Amino acid sequence: MSEEEIEIIEDDGNEGGQQVDGDGGAGPFEKKQRKKKSSIWDEMTEVVLDNGTVKVKCNHCKELFTKSTTGATSQHKRHLTSCLQRKMAIREQSKQKQQVLSFTEGGSDGITSITNSLFNKFMKAVSPFYKKINRQTVKEDCMSTYTIEKRKLKSLLKGAGRISITTDLWKSGQKIQYMVVTGHFIDSDWVLQKRVLNFCNVPPPHTRVIIADALSKCFIDWGIENKVSSITVDNASYNDVCIRRLREDFSLRKRLMQDGLGQLGGVIDVVREGIKYLNNSESRLLEFAKIKKQFQLPSRKLILDCPTRWYSTYLMLASGLEFKDVFPRYADIDPGFHYVPTDFEWMKVEEVCKFLGIFHEITDMISGSEYPTGNIFLVELYRIKELLNEKALDPFEHIRAMAGTFSVIYGEDVAPKFMAEIRDILYELYNAYVDCHVVSHSEQQRQVIKRRQNEGSTSSSKK
Ligand SMILES: [Zn+2]
């Protein structure tokens, strides 16, 4: 059957629905068609043969089907799912869509040209499979690309140790003020990376608070608030105060505490949930107090913390620690109470609380407002430094401690041999590093290192 035998029905009174343009690309002089409800009518058309029979034609393969008198479309749907021409068209369309959308990477000019109706007409003429791309499609495509790229960058940032930030503000042609934040870091393959982390509209006034907040929101969003090593800004006056504010926000002190609390992991949650559970009911608190009395513990209260304030978490743990014997007893009488830390966990809590207690005391002392603090600040800060030195094992100490365990593990006779072996490997590594990175390293200096290495191995064999 040839194409001329078929004419398109332009008005179908039986089907409801609003009046729409029959075809997105149709000219203004063509008659309007009614939209049919079933989704098959996007891909099938009603036709009347010469003999007057009404048929349904697949737009893809032009095959004809009988039209059901009840309006049922299931056989047509079945055809569409298996139509080979349609499958090809879909594959072609998605390929074309990718290629056409790559125009948009060039910016707004690209978007304007592909949503242009002339362009769409041209593409339709070139390829029968072409499907019009509108602004909505372009937008969705941009957003999905953005989401995918963001996820990739987030995992890349996770592997970065320290991140340096550069940021600046400027005005666009439409007088819109933008802030851009760029992160510079070394990835796990030792390659220097530079990525735009934020490009956002920051309306004036550009006070330090607004800028500091925008930056800190950006850092938290990327999960890098604890990794920022430096922030480079221009010499605008608001930047000074802005950076000072940020420094306070992400201060070393806070990080230290969060690290310390991080060591405790799940215990904090257990204690917190336990206290919440008890606080939820007056009778639970009463039972808890009874057991407290049996243990002859002071009538102090359990404290619920505010999770973002390290000292309030410290106070909560310290209060929980006092009642650590009450927790399992209470669990015996209340089957709904599952918040009993193990002895080992309490031990860890005790260790960290001892440490944080001193910090808490010092912070309290130097942030006092009713007495001068300038004279005690340095002394107290030094106390913190000493405390940290005490807790931190320096790397040399670490290796020496390791050497001590060798004789225990392998026996006195074999241990020196292993130790010498490891020492040689370390020197070899060091030399390889020096050879490939320090080109300017003079031969003389290298000899010094070699000599030192030889001395090291002879002294170890003498032992
Ligand atoms: Zn078909």
Side-chain angles (χ1 to χ4, degrees):
M1 188 180 291
S2 75
E3 291 280 316
E4 289 86 64
E5 288 173 301
I6 298 163
E7 59 166 323
I8 293 174
I9 293 182
E10 289 183 341
D11 204 353
D12 183 352
N14 295 328
E15 304 276 352
Q18 83 242 69
Q19 292 273 118
V20 290
D21 283 334
D23 177 3
F29 304 110
E30 281 173 40
K31 265 201 177 177
K32 285 182 175 177
Q33 275 184 313
R34 254 176 220 279
K35 193 181 183 180
K36 299 174 182 72
K37 274 177 189 163
S38 169
S39 61
I40 66 146
W41 299 115
D42 293 335
E43 297 174 85
M44 290 194 148
T45 321
E46 258 183 31
V47 290
V48 180
L49 305 187
D50 279 353
N51 59 13
T53 17
V54 181
K55 290 270 184 185
V56 176
K57 187 184 76 170
C58 169
N59 292 353
H60 301 288
C61 65
K62 317 291 180 212
E63 202 179 323
L64 292 172
F65 301 90
T66 36
K67 185 180 184 249
S68 143
T69 45
T70 58
T73 54
S74 47
Q75 66 148 328
H76 307 128
K77 269 185 195 152
R78 251 197 322 276
H79 168 74
L80 284 177
T81 50
S82 62
C83 177
L84 274 176
Q85 292 280 337
R86 179 173 177 268
K87 280 181 188 161
M88 258 168 64
I90 290 172
R91 206 174 314 133
E92 277 301 305
Q93 273 165 10
S94 82
K95 228 190 283 171
Q96 282 169 355
K97 192 177 142 197
Q98 286 307 322
Q99 279 159 1
V100 172
L101 282 174
S102 64
F103 275 164
T104 58
E105 284 161 19
S108 60
D109 289 347
I111 298 173
T112 315
S113 56
I114 68 163
T115 51
N116 183 311
S117 64
L118 265 178
F119 175 82
N120 276 302
K121 266 193 176 160
F122 165 74
M123 284 304 290
K124 195 128 199 165
V126 171
S127 160
F129 300 123
Y130 183 74
K131 210 175 160 196
K132 188 185 169 185
I133 293 175
N134 55 22
R135 269 177 187 271
Q136 188 58 28
T137 320
V138 176
K139 187 180 158 190
E140 276 162 18
D141 183 76
C142 287
M143 288 316 286
S144 82
T145 310
Y146 171 77
T147 320
I148 293 165
E149 288 298 319
K150 186 168 181 177
R151 210 174 302 143
K152 269 194 226 158
L153 181 54
K154 225 173 188 172
S155 75
L156 192 66
L157 286 171
K158 234 178 223 166
R162 284 264 170 267
I163 298 164
S164 292
I165 303 291
T166 51
T167 177
D168 202 2
L169 289 152
W170 76 85
K171 232 182 262 177
S172 80
Q174 295 98 16
K175 302 259 179 272
I176 300 173
Q177 311 234 21
Y178 289 102
M179 178 169 84
V180 78
V181 181
T182 315
H184 311 259
F185 58 95
I186 291 166
D187 69 9
S188 47
D189 295 326
W190 289 92
V191 179
L192 181 65
Q193 298 280 352
K194 184 176 108 178
R195 295 299 166 89
V196 172
L197 299 180
N198 206 358
F199 188 91
C200 62
N201 171 225
V202 181
H206 289 152
T207 64
R208 64 235 169 190
V209 180
I210 288 174
I211 292 170
D213 281 357
L215 276 174
S216 104
K217 219 173 99 193
C218 167
F219 297 161
I220 290 169
D221 186 33
W222 287 103
I224 57 167
E225 67 271 26
N226 290 335
K227 293 184 170 187
V228 175
S229 74
S230 70
I231 302 175
T232 311
V233 292
D234 66 6
N235 56 0
S237 60
Y238 55 75
N239 275 331
D240 292 345
V241 196
C242 160
I243 297 301
R244 206 173 305 141
R245 188 184 157 92
L246 272 178
R247 203 178 289 150
E248 282 162 18
D249 275 6
F250 301 110
S251 67
L252 177 74
R253 192 187 62 183
K254 180 175 156 200
R255 210 153 61 210
L256 218 62
M257 299 313 138
Q258 303 299 12
D259 279 357
L261 292 173
Q263 296 287 319
L264 291 178
V267 199
I268 299 178
D269 289 334
V270 174
V271 175
R272 185 180 295 137
E273 289 307 312
I275 296 177
K276 263 190 214 162
Y277 178 87
L278 291 169
N279 272 346
N280 271 347
S281 136
E282 201 60 38
S283 62
R284 287 175 195 164
L285 280 173
L286 226 67
E287 283 301 322
F288 195 82
K290 266 188 210 162
I291 305 171
K292 229 159 52 178
K293 233 178 196 167
Q294 286 169 12
F295 278 99
Q296 296 184 327
L297 289 169
S299 57
R300 276 183 54 181
K301 272 192 177 165
L302 283 170
I303 299 167
L304 191 63
D305 74 331
C306 160
T308 51
R309 305 241 176 274
W310 69 267
Y311 61 85
S312 99
T313 305
Y314 156 71
L315 290 175
M316 176 185 80
L317 290 174
S319 78
L321 198 59
E322 276 189 58
F323 304 122
K324 68 172 184 183
D325 297 327
V326 185
F327 276 72
R329 274 292 192 88
Y330 182 79
D332 287 344
I333 58 162
D334 185 348
F337 187 78
H338 314 290
Y339 313 102
V340 186
T342 62
D343 282 346
F344 179 66
E345 284 173 329
W346 278 125
M347 208 179 75
K348 281 204 289 189
V349 170
E350 204 170 345
E351 197 57 37
V352 172
C353 275
K354 249 190 248 164
F355 192 59
L356 291 181
I358 302 172
F359 271 101
H360 181 59
E361 184 196 321
I362 295 174
T363 313
D364 239 20
M365 201 187 293
I366 56 183
S367 52
S369 57
E370 285 166 13
Y371 49 88
T373 52
N375 53 339
I376 53 170
F377 177 76
L378 195 63
V379 183
E380 295 303 332
L381 197 72
Y382 188 72
R383 230 173 102 196
I384 293 179
K385 167 94 174 84
E386 272 191 325
L387 196 68
L388 286 175
N389 283 352
E390 205 178 285
K391 293 282 171 192
L393 204 57
D394 90 289
F396 290 110
E397 204 60 54
H398 210 98
I399 288 184
R400 249 170 257 147
M402 235 169 70
T405 59
F406 261 57
S407 51
V408 181
I409 300 170
Y410 301 106
E412 292 282 350
D413 310 333
V414 209
K417 197 187 117 218
F418 281 146
M419 271 154 68
E421 234 169 70
I422 288 179
R423 188 179 291 124
D424 287 347
I425 291 169
L426 285 175
Y427 271 115
E428 210 173 288
L429 254 173
Y430 176 76
N431 282 337
Y433 181 79
V434 169
D435 281 343
C436 62
H437 287 278
V438 191
V439 189
S440 60
H441 220 89
S442 71
E443 189 55 34
Q444 193 191 354
Q445 275 168 302
R446 218 173 301 174
Q447 287 305 326
V448 172
I449 294 159
K450 287 251 169 72
R451 206 166 52 233
R452 218 176 283 158
Q453 177 189 358
N454 289 337
E455 279 168 16
S457 50
T458 47
S459 72
S460 71
S461 53
K462 267 180 215 158
K463 262 184 198 168

